[in-house]
Amino acid sequence: MANVAVVGSQWGDEGKGKLVDWLSERADVVVRFQGGHNAGHTLVIDGKVYKLSLLPSGIVRGGKTSIIGNGVVIDPWALLKEIETLRGQDVTITAENLKIAENATLILPLHGELDALREDATAAVKIGTTRRGIGPAYEDKVARRAIRVSDLADPELLAKKIDTLLAHHNALRRGLGAEEVDGADLLAKLQEIAPKILEFSDIVWRRLDEAKRDRKLVLFEGAQGAMLDNDHGTYPFVTSSNTVAGQAAVGSGVGPGAVSYVLGITKAYTTRVGEGPFPTELFDDIGQGLGERGKEFGVVTGRKRRCGWFDAVMVRQAVKTGGITGIALTKLDVLDGMDELKVCVGYKLGDKVLDYYPSNMADQAEVEPVYETLEGWSDSTFGARSWDDLPATAVKYIRRVEELIEAPIALVSTSPEREDTILVKDPFLD
Ligand code: GDP
Ligand code: IMO
Ligand code: MG
C-alpha cells in the first residue's frame, strides 16, 4: 500500500476535502502540510456538512491520527474555534487523535490586520487574499522572527520574541498609519490560550517516523492548488506557500520518498476566487450556470467564485510541476445538460500559439485560449457510483481530458456526498 498526497491541480476548491475524507477510510494518519485557515474543505456525509479549515479532513472519522504539520501556519484562536464547532457536530477531538507540530508557525492578530491593510491600500497590487494573515505569517517565518507553537511553553522566551517581532511590525504599522501593537497585551493574549494549544503539541516528525516503522498508511492533505503555488502559480496572484506535493515532505518532516502517489484533485471545469489571470473565465450565462449548479461560493470568505471552461494546458502543467501521478475528476455532474463543452488546448499570445502557461505576469494576463469543442450530455451523472452509470459522451469527455493532461483518471466524483465517488484505479495500490 502506498502513501498518497492529495493536492489541488487548479486554483483550489477542487474537492480535496471530499476526496481526502473518502480515501481516509483506509488511512491511519492524515497530515496537513501547508497553508492555514485560508483553506476551506467541505465534507458531506449522509447529508451532514462539515467545513474544515485547519483540521485535517481525517478528523471526522474515528480511530485516525490527524496531524497539523510544521509547514502549516496556525491561527490558534481560529483553531480553537474550529475544534469547538466540530465537537458541536459530535466529532471527537482529543490530544490522542490530534497532533500539532511544535515547530509550526503561529498566525497572530497583527498578521490578519497587516493582510487587510495591504489589500485596502490603493497603491498595492490587490491579490484578493482571504485576509487571514497567511502571507504576513509566512513572511515572518522566512525572516526568522516568527512565534512558533513551542514558544508558547516558555513565557520568558516568548516575551523576547514578541519584542523582536514588534520592532519590525510596529515600524511597518507606523508607516501604514495603523496603531502600534502593545507587547504586554499580546503576551497576555498568547499566555491565555497557550495551555489549550500546547495540549496538542507534539514532535510530529517522530510520530511520522514511527508510522513509517509500523507500516501505517499516511495521507497528506494539500490546501489551495497548483496555480496558487508561490513558485509555479500565477504569481503574484498566489498564496504564500508551496502547494505542490513536494511540500508534503518538507511541511511534515519526512523524506521525499514518503509520498508514493500524488493524486491531483481536478474540477471538470475551472473556478478561481480572488484576483488574477483566468484565461478560460466565462462572463456569460454559461459561467453563471456553472456557478449556480456548482454552488460556487467560497467556504472561507463566502465570495462568489469565478467560473470558466476546463483548461487542459494549465492542468497538464500542474501534472508536470507537481509530479501528479493520477487525478480525481470532480463535479462532473455540474456539466450535466450542457449541449457542448469547451476545453482549452493552447494559448494564443500575439502571433504564437503556446502549449504551456507562460510565467510572465503580463503574458499570463494577455493569453487567449484556443478551444476544442466536445459534445455534452443530457442524462444525469449526479450521484453516479459506477463507470457504467455514466453516459457515453461523459466518458468521451473524461477520456479526452485524460489524454490532454497526460495523466490517468483514478477517481470521478459526481456529488458532494462521500459515497458518490467512482473508483477507476486505486491510488493506494499503485
Ligand atoms: P476543497 O477546498 O478542494 O476541499 O473544495 P471546497 O470544499 O472548497 O469546494 C468544493 C465544493 O464542491 C464543496 O461544496 C463540495 O461539497 C462540493 N463537491 C465536491 N465534489 C463534488 C462533486 O463531485 N459534485 C458536486 N456537485 N459538488 C461537489
Ligand atoms: P482550498 O484549500 C481557493 C486564494 C485567495 C487569494 C489567494 C491568496 O479551500 O482550496 P491568501 O489568503 O492565501 O494569501 O490568498 O489565494 N486562496 C484560495 N482559493 N481555495 C483555497 O483553499 C484558497 N486559499 C487561498 O482567494 O486569491
Ligand atoms: Mg476550498
Side-chain angles (χ1 to χ4, degrees):
M1 296 279 266
N3 288 340
V4 175
V6 174
V7 293
S9 72
Q10 293 152 319
W11 277 293
D13 303 327
E14 299 91 347
K16 297 175 292 293
K18 167 176 170 169
L19 270 299
V20 171
D21 170 55
W22 189 85
L23 290 164
S24 70
E25 183 183 7
R26 285 177 291 160
D28 302 294
V29 184
V30 183
V31 194
R32 273 282 306 270
F33 56 86
Q34 47 72 232
H37 65 314
N38 50 347
H41 297 179
T42 318
L43 280 55
V44 184
I45 305 161
D46 295 331
K48 199 164 168 185
V49 182
Y50 302 85
K51 291 176 189 239
L52 306 172
S53 282
L54 271 166
L55 292 168
S57 296
I59 198 84
V60 298
R61 291 189 191 259
K64 315 282 171 192
T65 304
S66 290
I67 291 182
I68 300 181
N70 55 276
V72 176
V73 281
I74 304 168
D75 179 324
W77 294 276
L79 177 64
L80 293 174
K81 198 165 160 221
E82 194 175 325
I83 290 175
E84 202 185 320
T85 305
L86 268 285
R87 280 179 178 157
Q89 290 188 286
D90 297 326
V91 174
T92 305
I93 304 172
T94 65
E96 271 309 297
N97 70 349
L98 176 66
K99 314 280 176 192
I100 301 177
E102 54 179 11
N103 52 341
T105 293
L106 294 183
I107 298 185
L108 306 174
L110 56 82
H111 292 124
E113 286 159 23
L114 182 58
D115 200 349
L117 281 166
R118 284 179 179 157
E119 284 285 291
D120 294 338
T122 44
V125 177
K126 200 175 159 61
I127 309 287
T129 72
T130 58
R131 296 173 178 246
R132 298 292 191 267
I134 307 292
Y138 275 118
E139 286 170 34
D140 281 347
K141 171 181 177 172
V142 177
R144 297 161 292 197
R145 56 174 172 257
I147 311 277
R148 309 207 296 180
V149 169
S150 61
D151 298 330
L152 295 174
D154 185 341
E156 234 171 89
L157 177 69
L158 186 59
K160 275 194 206 143
K161 290 194 74 169
I162 287 175
D163 281 348
T164 309
L165 188 73
L166 292 186
H168 174 81
H169 276 275
N170 279 338
L172 258 178
R173 291 171 75 96
R174 283 194 294 276
L176 290 164
E179 207 179 304
E180 292 191 25
V181 174
D182 178 65
D185 183 47
L186 179 56
L187 179 64
K189 280 193 178 121
L190 284 171
Q191 281 189 289
E192 191 200 326
I193 47 113
K196 297 179 199 156
I197 296 295
L198 289 170
E199 182 191 342
F200 303 102
S201 166
D202 198 15
I203 306 168
V204 156
W205 64 264
R206 179 170 282 168
R207 191 69 58 184
L208 289 169
D209 191 50
E210 285 163 7
K212 180 181 167 188
R213 187 196 59 203
D214 300 340
R215 297 183 179 279
K216 299 264 199 235
L217 207 59
V218 183
L219 199 51
F220 296 92
E221 178 176 2
Q224 291 82 50
M227 285 301 144
L228 289 170
D229 181 277
N230 197 259
D231 284 88
H232 298 291
T234 46
Y235 193 92
F237 303 99
V238 292
T239 193
S240 296
S241 67
N242 286 108
T243 61
V244 294
Q247 176 64 20
V250 184
S252 56
V254 295
V259 178
S260 358
Y261 189 104
V262 180
L263 183 67
I265 313 302
T266 306
K267 215 177 259 192
Y269 49 100
T270 314
T271 62
R272 168 164 215 172
V273 212
E275 305 297 317
F278 182 172
T280 63
E281 183 167 13
L282 290 165
F283 300 95
D284 56 8
D285 290 351
I286 299 175
Q288 182 85 9
L290 289 172
E292 281 165 16
R293 287 194 305 281
K295 301 195 172 58
E296 296 295 356
F297 290 92
V299 178
V300 176
T301 57
R303 287 177 292 176
K304 203 170 165 184
R305 296 174 184 152
R306 300 153 66 190
C307 296
W309 293 119
F310 186 76
D311 191 335
V313 184
M314 212 170 267
V315 175
R316 181 168 63 225
Q317 196 153 318
V319 166
K320 310 291 177 190
T321 56
I324 289 173
T325 322
I327 70 157
L329 194 69
T330 61
K331 305 192 94 159
L332 184 71
D333 54 290
V334 176
L335 300 181
D336 288 356
M338 296 178 79
D339 294 337
E340 56 178 37
L341 302 165
K342 289 189 177 162
V343 171
C344 173
V345 293
Y347 299 119
K348 248 190 284 178
L349 182 65
D351 53 7
K352 284 194 242 126
V353 175
L354 307 180
D355 64 356
Y356 67 97
Y357 197 47
S359 62
N360 176 280
M361 184 177 165
D363 291 346
Q364 287 192 346
E366 200 183 316
V367 296
E368 293 280 340
V370 177
Y371 285 119
E372 182 175 299
T373 304
L374 297 169
E375 203 185 324
W377 53 90
S378 51
D379 298 343
S380 168
T381 66
F382 186 80
R385 294 184 182 186
S386 105
W387 188 258
D388 297 334
D389 293 341
L390 299 177
T393 35
V395 170
K396 247 170 118 175
Y397 181 78
I398 298 172
R399 290 301 181 209
R400 183 62 182 142
V401 162
E402 201 170 33
E403 197 171 54
L404 288 167
I405 65 171
E406 298 179 19
I409 306 272
L411 293 132
V412 179
S413 167
T414 58
S415 102
E417 267 288 342
R418 177 191 268 174
E419 297 304 334
D420 293 338
T421 305
I422 303 171
L423 178 64
V424 183
K425 191 171 184 306
D426 196 339
F428 285 126
L429 300 178
D430 197 66

